[in-house]
Amino acid sequence: MRLPCRLLIPSLLLTTTLVACGSSGGAPGDVDDDFPLALVPGPASTPPMGWNSWNEFQGGINETLIEAIADAMVANGMKDAGYQYVNIDDTWSNKTGRDANGALQPDPGKFPAGIAAVADHVHVTDGLKLGIYGDRGTQTCGGYPGSQGYETQDANTFATWGVDYLKYDNCNASLNVETQYQTMQAALVQAAAAKPSPTPFVFSLCAWQFYQWGVTTGNLWRTTGDIKDTWDSIFANLMNDRSYAAYAGPNGWNDPDMLEVGVTDDEFSYSVNHTEYQSHFSLWAITASPLIMGNDPRTVTGDIKNILTNKEVIALDQDALGLQGTEVWESGDGNLSVWAKPLNAAGARGVVLLNAGAALADVTFTLPLIGLAGGSATVRDLVAQMDLGAFDDSYTVAAIPSHGTATLKVTGTEPPHPSGTADLSDLTWTYAANGLGPVEKDMSNGFSAAGDGAPISIASTPYAKGLGMAAPAAVIYRLNKACTSFTADVGVDDAASGQGSVVFQVWADGVKLADSGTLTGSNGMNPGKQTLTADLTGKRRLKLVVNNAGDGASWDRASWGNPQVICTAKK
Ligand code: GLA
């Protein structure tokens, strides 16, 4: 038996050392027509990248500063690394109110030349884009004029000024949140269309707990409260964000808040070390989070600049497949975890190993854990931008420092495509995201621990085979155009004791093939069980989705009873 590769990461050093490796020769990958997929068009095909003034400067902004930062983003290689948006946050407007025509106006002390002049500088001098901040209520979080009742006028003002991106906050608001965000969305669409050269706004929802409609309203939506420049805050935001992974995708991203990497002016600044900032960046990248820098690009130093401009880690974030990496393994004490996401190439996975504990630790993953077939694979350290060789079946990174990560790309072999009549719970999925702990095979979703469900039971019918999920959830299988049909019984599991409400959907290659409508756990009031079927002829990827249905995520234990695909022999 071959030894797994072992990688040493000496504490606080970026250098990595390969100390043992039991295999040679990489896996060729599974050659079929599943990859690569084309980039989905739109204003946020991949997670937005840029800079925002709030974390470092709060109210201390003005036009000279914003323009100097845009210039620095070009000079320091940030534009070249992919950062596009220069976003002015709260306090930019005239706090005393709107002008005589009701229009928002910039603070004359901070922006004497006006926002249009800043937009011009950012566009023409730097080739970057400008973002601005607003609020759905009567006032912003900082007490500046809000857009309630002025949505159309404000969207037109932003368009006239040449603004490309709006972060829209949720303070001082009493009206229906969904309606107000949708009103601004419609106003932005209309205002963008009226621009001389129409380009859609990126719409950033600075509101949380509204994920169902966020997906169709904004290009990114906050999943957490305000981030702080502390490790605990960074980690807490990551933990909160992971439950919503199923919602993320091209043009709609979960936003665990802006980066704290290199911030010096937060009340807690200087408590986060270099190892932790690297982890912050790597974890935002594996989770396909927006990369909005919060530091001062004018004074960025070597280490911080290296973290923020590392093109291989950025490529992990920006991968065109647009899947949010999920936590595929967690140690019993929650300190160690493995995060993975499929990349847009056959056999390729991004992997981040996290040691959130206080002591040095080894972290191991196996190939099936990250959705690959067992056997041989190669591994690359994305932070060091260095190939680490080949390994068989499992890989260990040794001595990961406290709060440290290993950021890897693994290239191996995709699992076999299904053939004949296949139970989905017997296959290795390409990707699984779940609202509460892992998707379970042949049991209902219990709570957050793996394997803590009960036998699947839908409307009193037991199922030996199946998948247990909690909304929102998404599971993807590769079919290689070799399958003809899908069938499953679906419903809220009896484990929910009459509670919960969900919607089951079957998608293939971006097209919805079946939709259960709302199914509830309340037996009797709603049949609670349905059979979903779909024609899979010629399809490459099957995606099973479970969404919340209006009443939040409470007890949304969604079970698929006997989900099967019927396929021809394996290609
Ligand atoms: C809220 C947001 C922050 C920032 C401030 C500005 O707290 O979450 O990101 O925009 O408002 O007042």
Side-chain angles (χ1 to χ4, degrees):
M1 206 180 95
R2 286 164 168 166
L3 285 172
C5 294
R6 289 180 71 83
L7 172 70
L8 278 182
I9 300 191
S11 180
L12 302 180
L13 284 183
L14 266 184
T15 49
T16 54
T17 317
L18 192 64
V19 295
C21 185
S23 171
S24 63
D30 186 359
V31 180
D32 58 31
D33 63 357
D34 281 356
F35 298 102
L37 298 183
L39 200 63
V40 173
S45 341
T46 61
M49 291 178 64
W51 170 88
N52 175 291
S53 57
W54 186 255
N55 286 358
E56 183 71 39
F57 297 100
Q58 297 93 47
I61 53 173
N62 59 61
E63 63 192 27
T64 313
L65 175 84
I66 302 294
E67 292 179 7
I69 281 173
D71 297 348
M73 285 168 65
V74 178
N76 285 325
M78 288 156 171
K79 176 187 175 189
D80 188 41
Y83 295 93
Q84 279 194 77
Y85 293 98
V86 180
N87 292 350
I88 307 171
D89 208 280
D90 203 0
T91 79
W92 64 268
S93 67
N94 192 334
K95 202 169 188 178
T96 59
R98 295 167 177 270
D99 72 10
N101 299 318
L104 284 172
Q105 44 185 349
D107 180 314
K110 293 175 176 175
F111 293 92
I115 302 297
V118 179
D120 209 42
H121 180 98
V122 166
H123 291 153
V124 177
T125 306
D126 297 316
L128 294 167
K129 294 178 175 171
L130 189 76
I132 210 157
Y133 168 94
D135 189 286
R136 77 173 176 101
T138 52
Q139 289 189 337
T140 70
C141 298
Y144 293 73
S147 290
Q148 183 175 309
Y150 292 91
E151 289 88 352
T152 304
Q153 185 172 10
D154 291 353
N156 286 333
T157 300
F158 298 146
T160 309
W161 287 344
V163 170
D164 306 290
Y165 180 122
L166 176 65
K167 171 177 168 182
Y168 203 50
D169 218 328
N170 188 34
C171 281
N172 303 305
S174 53
L175 302 182
N176 181 281
V177 58
E178 180 174 353
T179 312
Q180 279 198 307
Y181 273 94
Q182 286 167 351
T183 301
M184 183 48 103
Q185 177 195 26
L188 290 174
V189 169
Q190 199 172 38
K195 285 181 183 176
S197 45
T199 44
F201 282 90
V202 170
F203 191 26
S204 162
L205 313 183
C206 191
W208 39 95
Q209 296 163 354
F210 311 114
Y211 316 108
Q212 288 114 287
W213 55 263
V215 178
T216 51
T217 308
N219 301 112
L220 57 158
W221 48 86
R222 282 272 292 276
T223 55
T224 68
D226 285 11
I227 197 166
K228 296 273 173 238
D229 195 12
T230 67
W231 171 254
D232 286 351
S233 171
I234 292 165
F235 185 67
N237 281 19
L238 173 78
M239 291 293 110
N240 208 54
D241 186 78
R242 66 188 164 163
S243 311
Y244 309 106
Y247 284 133
N251 293 311
W253 307 98
N254 290 309
D255 177 11
D257 209 356
M258 305 172 291
L259 296 167
E260 291 286 1
V261 179
V263 167
T264 61
D265 200 26
D266 183 277
E267 57 182 310
F268 305 104
S269 284
Y270 302 107
S271 71
V272 182
N273 64 37
H274 179 273
T275 297
E276 294 166 331
Y277 276 147
Q278 178 62 63
S279 295
H280 177 19
F281 197 71
S282 291
L283 290 161
W284 262 233
I286 193 77
T287 51
S289 300
L291 298 179
I292 307 294
M293 299 181 288
N295 66 323
D296 183 350
R298 297 171 309 167
T299 56
V300 69
T301 62
D303 280 349
I304 298 299
K305 189 165 127 179
N306 288 343
I307 292 173
L308 291 170
T309 57
N310 186 320
K311 291 186 182 177
E312 296 200 17
V313 182
I314 289 171
L316 176 65
D317 179 79
Q318 296 286 301
D319 184 78
L321 210 49
L323 293 172
Q324 174 169 333
T326 57
E327 190 186 37
V328 294
W329 176 81
E330 191 180 273
S331 60
D333 60 6
N335 280 342
L336 309 179
S337 53
V338 177
W339 299 71
K341 76 168 177 177
L343 302 175
N344 193 19
R349 301 288 184 274
V351 179
V352 171
L353 311 181
L354 168 64
N355 173 13
L360 283 181
D362 299 357
V363 181
T364 298
F365 66 90
T366 63
L367 290 172
L369 190 66
I370 62 168
L372 291 175
S376 181
T378 59
V379 62
R380 181 172 173 81
D381 182 332
L382 298 179
V383 171
Q385 303 191 354
M386 188 170 77
D387 285 331
L388 300 175
F391 68 97
D392 275 2
D393 297 331
S394 88
Y395 191 84
T396 298
V397 177
I400 299 179
S402 169
H403 303 170
T405 38
T407 310
L408 309 172
K409 179 178 177 183
V410 176
T411 307
T413 305
E414 294 286 350
H417 296 111
S419 61
T421 298
D423 289 313
L424 291 184
S425 61
D426 291 341
L427 302 178
T428 301
W429 50 58
T430 297
Y431 177 75
N434 199 43
L436 184 63
V439 172
E440 300 289 2
K441 291 181 175 179
D442 302 334
M443 66 175 76
S444 64
N445 195 124
F447 292 88
S448 53
D452 64 352
I456 289 173
S457 175
I458 307 169
S460 303
T461 306
Y463 295 86
K465 305 294 292 177
L467 297 169
M469 305 185 191
V475 179
I476 298 175
Y477 298 90
R478 294 161 64 254
L479 306 176
N480 201 31
K481 298 185 180 172
C483 302
T484 50
S485 65
F486 166 86
T487 177
D489 287 352
V490 297
V492 175
D493 199 280
D494 296 335
S497 305
Q499 304 168 80
S501 66
V502 296
V503 175
F504 292 80
Q505 294 173 345
V506 180
W507 292 70
D509 299 352
V511 178
K512 190 166 70 172
L513 302 178
D515 189 319
S516 69
T518 298
L519 296 182
T520 71
S522 48
N523 298 325
M525 289 175 63
N526 183 306
K529 181 171 126 179
Q530 217 179 88
T531 301
L532 292 184
T533 58
D535 180 355
L536 299 179
T537 309
K539 302 296 186 191
R540 301 191 299 179
R541 285 167 311 283
L542 170 67
K543 185 175 184 182
L544 306 184
V545 171
V546 179
N547 283 330
N548 293 311
D551 65 345
S554 175
W555 283 101
D556 282 352
R557 304 298 195 276
S559 284
W560 302 73
N562 285 346
Q564 288 185 329
V565 286
I566 297 177
C567 310
T568 56
K570 203 173 93 180
K571 266 192 188 171

